[in-house]
């Protein structure tokens, strides 16, 4: 079974976007460095249509490249799917996407894309594991990510911490209740404008 890790870029006070879903400066570090994430360019990761290839610091490039190459399936909530229109059927990494939603895939939406809609977080992880073929499962942080963590289905928590304070907005862990213990971080990498952290969930 592939490792299930929860991931997002996050402010130092724990927010992944403001109340209007604006990420502000959280993603600036993706474009402010001098090293492409992949050696031959970032075409496979750039689905914006704007040709905005990722250029980060060397330390970040090594870390992000390794993470992205490990992913087989992304699990996300319906809100993010709607905000980005499912990346137009081309996820930033991985081969498959599982969307947690009580509504089905929009009729006629990119029938060629390996996107699967389920209405339960446990079913979402089960489906993601089957699709990933032993590769990692990346769970987008937020409400759905928090529910998956609370259900005991997350193995690791990965954060790209950006030096900005939002004060309010959409929380990394959503509205999760109770304490959930993590091990000491086993990844601590300082990039330019970002700190990469990765923790195993304590069982």
């Amino acid at each position: 079974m592939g490792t299930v890790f929860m991931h997002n870029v996050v402010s130092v006070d724990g927010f992944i976007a403001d109340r209007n879903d604006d990420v502000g400066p959280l993603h600036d570090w993706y474009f402010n460095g001098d090293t492409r994430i992949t050696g031959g360019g970032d075409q496979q990761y750039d689905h914006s249509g704007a040709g905005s290839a990722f250029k980060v610091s060397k330390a970040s490039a090594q870390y992000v490249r390794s993470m992205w190459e490990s992913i087989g399936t992304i699990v996300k909530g319906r809100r993010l799917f709607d905000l980005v229109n499912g990346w137009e059927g081309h996820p930033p990494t991985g081969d498959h996407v599982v969307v947690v939603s009580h509504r089905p895939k929009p009729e006629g939406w990119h029938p060629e894309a390996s996107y699967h809609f389920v209405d339960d977080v446990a079913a979402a992880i089960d489906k993601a594991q089957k699709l990933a073929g032993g590769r990692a499962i990346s769970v987008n942080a937020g409400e759905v990510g928090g529910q998956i963590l609370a259900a005991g289905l997350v193995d690791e928590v990965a954060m790209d911490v950006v030096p900005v304070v939002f004060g309010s907005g959409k929380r990394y862990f959503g509205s999760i209740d109770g304490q959930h213990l993590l091990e000491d971080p086993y990844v601590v990498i300082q990039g330019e404008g970002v700190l990469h952290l990765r923790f195993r969930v304590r069982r």
Side-chain angles (χ1 to χ4, degrees):
M1 302 291 279
T3 298
V4 178
F5 69 92
M6 184 174 173
H7 173 253
N8 224 88
V9 182
V10 60
S11 68
V12 294
D13 56 342
F15 295 99
I16 59 176
D18 68 16
R19 292 175 179 171
N20 298 315
D21 294 304
D22 189 339
V23 298
L26 288 179
H27 293 176
D28 288 356
W29 64 275
Y30 277 122
F31 308 101
N32 289 343
D34 57 8
T35 306
R36 291 187 184 276
I37 291 174
T38 60
D42 303 313
Q43 292 84 356
Q44 67 268 48
Y45 300 131
D46 178 22
H47 304 294
S48 66
S52 52
F54 296 104
K55 293 187 74 175
V56 299
S57 68
K58 184 175 181 180
S60 289
Q62 293 173 341
Y63 173 72
V64 174
R65 181 187 305 126
S66 175
M67 175 188 285
W68 286 5
E69 288 177 349
S70 76
I71 295 169
T73 306
I74 293 174
V75 177
K76 64 193 293 187
R78 183 59 181 256
R79 184 172 183 82
L80 179 57
F81 173 86
D82 289 340
L83 283 171
V84 301
N85 195 30
W87 302 300
E88 299 297 341
H90 298 282
T93 185
D95 300 316
H96 314 280
V97 174
V98 177
V99 181
V100 180
S101 174
H102 295 296
R103 291 177 285 143
K105 182 192 295 187
E107 187 173 351
W109 183 89
H110 293 285
E112 77 288 354
S114 182
Y115 278 56
H116 309 266
F117 287 62
V118 299
D119 63 2
D120 175 79
V121 295
I125 296 300
D126 183 63
K127 181 68 173 179
Q129 290 283 16
K130 290 175 180 175
L131 292 167
R135 298 176 70 194
I137 313 300
S138 175
V139 175
N140 284 115
E143 287 296 333
V144 166
Q147 292 171 25
I148 294 172
L149 177 66
L153 300 173
V154 171
D155 300 310
E156 300 183 7
V157 170
M159 295 177 153
D160 300 321
V161 184
V162 173
V164 60
V165 174
F166 270 37
S168 64
K170 307 299 174 67
R171 295 187 177 279
Y172 181 98
F173 292 102
S175 54
I176 192 170
D177 288 327
Q179 293 185 357
H180 299 267
L181 298 177
L182 309 177
E183 302 291 347
D184 288 342
Y186 75 95
V187 172
V188 181
I189 297 173
Q190 183 174 338
E192 294 177 12
V194 64
L195 178 66
H196 306 289
L197 300 173
R198 194 150 174 167
F199 310 80
R200 293 185 178 93
V201 176
R202 189 177 299 180
R203 301 299 189 190

